[in-house]
Amino acid sequence: MDIDSTKAVVSDTLAQVTEKAQDTGWIMHHILDGNYLEFPPFGVVHLPELHLLGMDISITRHVIFMWLAVIILVFLLGRVAKAYKKSLVPKGINNLMEVLILFVRDEIARPTIGHGFEKFVPYLLTAFFFILTCNFLGLVPYGATATSNIAVTASLATISFIVIQAGGIMKNGFFGYFKGLLPHGLPTWLIPIMFVVELLGLFTKPFALAIRLFANLTAGHIVIMALLGLIFILQTYFVAPVSVAFALFIYLLEILVALIQAYIFTMLSSLFIGMAVHQDH
Amino acid sequence: MSFINNLAAMVLAAGGGNGGLLDVNPGLIFWTVITFILLLLILKKLAWKPILTSLSEREQFIEESLKKAETAKADAEKMMQDNKAAIDAADDKAREIIDSAKKEAEALRVKNEEKVKLETQAMIDAAKAEIERKNQEAFVKLKEQVAEIAVDAAEKIVRSSLDKGKQIELVNQYIDDLSKN
């Protein structure tokens, strides 16, 4: 075989590979929202479309999985609450829930908000458990990660933003809160500039929350899909063990990420609430 | 080159376009907000309130129990100290009693000893006096006897004072008699 023909074969293979690699639709299909629930190989359940005042409010895949998270949480936490009515000593799964609840209360809310943290604990607990459950639902077969949708994370971050501002305004008063945004001892001519900067800062915080959660939850899934996709792109069985091993590793990493991102979102929300409530430091 | 271009196209296709990753669906925002707020309200009433009150109740209970245990321990320690002091006092008292009893016994013993000594001395003295008296008596008797014997001997000598030979014999006989006595 001469060099030219080898070159031709290599470039041919490369062209084929790139052509296949361009077809990323199936990865996006898996990650994006849609009006269907897929249960391969059994079939697809199409969800109804809904419109309200000209807005598309269809019950999509991610909505279904958010509701699933709600049902799981209400069922699980309702049982935990009932168990506490019987006895103050937790048993079985209640221990796990108690660890998480106490973690949010004592490790997240108490140190970051400080005095008067009790008011915000229900919100932080709800955010933590909701995000955690949504994250985990993305890791089960046939599941979808609602928290890997930018619309969902943006909504959660917006709610967080509202809670942060409401907390600050309720504690310091409307004008007191906005006055407190500025650092002490600022030269007068800097005040307008700094005010705009600080005001922007208020919005960048929840924006970062939304992007962080969305990116982290999306990235892991894309990597898993891409690793498994190598098998079909390269069309060889030899890559399968490597792909599966790496995908499994990323999957385990995803479990960690699911926990960490729920923690980070709650932790940062709590931190921002603390900064808004106690502005002097 | 075309490979790199294709890669770039792939990356871009993932980012934007219709149905892309960063497309925001308003319906989903609507549902997320409604879902989350409902979840917050339901869980707040159903779960967080009872759970958090139970937890703080339990914490209070544990704190109180610990405090109670602490005071009970302090009480017990105080009681133990009191007991120890009482035992010490009782020990001291017992020792005192024993000491005084010993002293009394010693005094009694010394007193007894002296009494016995005195009595013994008196008895010895009485015995000595008796012996002296008996001696005196014996001496008096001996004297009387000696006098009698001397009178007897003199009488015998006087009766048989005829010849010298007989006299000597008589004296010898007498001496023999004496020594035999």
Side-chain angles (χ1 to χ4, degrees), chain A residues 73-240:
Chain A
L73 283 176
V74 168
F75 174 73
L76 216 60
L77 292 166
R79 270 188 44 175
V80 174
K82 216 181 264 171
Y84 273 114
K85 269 179 202 146
K86 269 190 228 145
S87 151
L88 286 178
V89 183
K91 275 192 200 113
I93 188 112
N94 297 0
N95 271 314
L96 176 68
M97 302 312 270
E98 189 186 306
V99 167
L100 292 175
I101 292 167
L102 285 181
F103 179 75
V104 172
R105 194 191 67 175
D106 293 338
E107 305 295 324
I108 295 178
R110 202 194 294 270
T112 53
I113 301 178
H115 181 69
F117 73 96
E118 292 91 348
K119 261 188 305 188
F120 301 99
V121 171
Y123 165 70
L124 294 172
L125 280 169
T126 312
F128 179 76
F129 278 99
F130 182 66
I131 293 170
L132 188 67
T133 316
C134 284
N135 291 352
F136 276 139
L137 281 178
L139 293 176
V140 297
Y142 301 134
T145 328
T147 38
S148 72
N149 191 311
I150 187 89
V152 173
T153 60
S155 307
L156 291 174
T158 308
I159 294 167
S160 210
F161 174 78
I162 291 167
V163 171
I164 294 165
Q165 307 314 322
I169 289 167
M170 261 156 54
K171 178 77 197 298
N172 303 303
F174 188 78
F175 291 106
Y177 174 63
F178 286 104
K179 225 171 88 185
L181 287 176
L182 297 167
H184 290 294
L186 211 59
T188 322
W189 60 273
L190 258 179
I191 286 178
I193 302 169
M194 280 309 285
F195 187 72
V196 173
V197 169
E198 294 289 341
L199 211 60
L200 277 175
L202 292 184
F203 290 97
T204 52
K205 283 167 190 166
F207 181 74
L209 280 182
I211 296 296
R212 183 181 298 109
L213 186 59
F214 153 74
N216 273 289
L217 269 295
T218 307
H221 282 66
I222 290 184
V223 172
I224 289 177
M225 290 294 133
L227 283 168
L228 293 177
L230 276 179
I231 302 168
F232 302 100
I233 291 168
L234 299 176
Q235 283 190 315
T236 163
Y237 288 117
F238 295 113
V239 79

Side-chain angles (χ1 to χ4, degrees), chain A residues 18 21-22 24 32-33 56-57 59 63 66-67 70 77 81 84 88 90 98 105 122 126 129-130 149 155-156, chain B residues 3 6 10 19-20 22-24 27-32 35-36 39-40 46-48 51-52 54-55 58-59:
Chain A
T18 46
Q22 271 187 4
T24 57
L32 290 177
D33 202 6
D56 177 19
I57 54 161
I59 314 293
V63 176
M66 276 196 287
W67 287 354
V70 168
L77 292 166
Y84 273 114
L88 286 178
E98 189 186 306
R105 194 191 67 175
T126 312
F129 278 99
F130 182 66
N149 191 311
S155 307
L156 291 174
Chain B
F3 174 63
N6 285 336
M10 184 183 98
L22 290 172
D23 278 6
V24 176
L28 201 52
I29 293 178
F30 173 78
W31 282 121
T32 308
T35 307
F36 188 83
L39 180 69
L40 179 58
L46 186 82
W48 304 139
I51 290 174
L52 289 173
S54 299
L55 287 178
R58 198 182 63 193
E59 270 153 23

Side-chain angles (χ1 to χ4, degrees), chain B residues 38-89:
Chain B
L38 274 180
L39 180 69
L40 179 58
L41 294 177
I42 291 171
L43 283 185
K44 199 173 174 181
K45 194 162 163 43
L46 186 82
W48 304 139
K49 217 175 229 175
I51 290 174
L52 289 173
T53 35
S54 299
L55 287 178
S56 57
E57 247 172 48
R58 198 182 63 193
E59 270 153 23
Q60 254 175 356
F61 175 72
I62 291 170
E63 214 165 280
E64 269 169 27
S65 301
L66 281 179
K67 257 184 211 156
K68 265 186 207 161
E70 199 81 10
T71 49
K73 199 184 152 200
D75 280 359
E77 248 162 39
K78 201 172 160 254
M79 213 178 261
M80 227 168 77
Q81 265 172 358
D82 286 358
N83 278 354
K84 213 182 158 204
I87 287 169
D88 282 354

Side-chain angles (χ1 to χ4, degrees), chain B residues 101-144:
Chain B
K102 263 187 191 162
K103 251 179 222 162
E104 246 167 61
E106 183 68 24
L108 208 67
R109 199 178 61 80
V110 168
K111 215 170 149 191
N112 264 358
E113 228 167 45
E114 256 163 36
K115 203 175 157 194
V116 168
K117 232 185 212 168
L118 279 177
E119 269 173 14
T120 325
Q121 197 60 43
M123 271 158 95
I124 289 168
D125 285 354
K128 269 184 182 164
E130 184 71 20
I131 288 165
E132 191 66 21
R133 204 177 50 80
K134 281 266 163 83
N135 268 358
Q136 209 70 34
E137 221 168 71
F139 192 64
V140 169
K141 258 185 191 166
L142 191 64
K143 240 179 177 173
E144 277 171 7

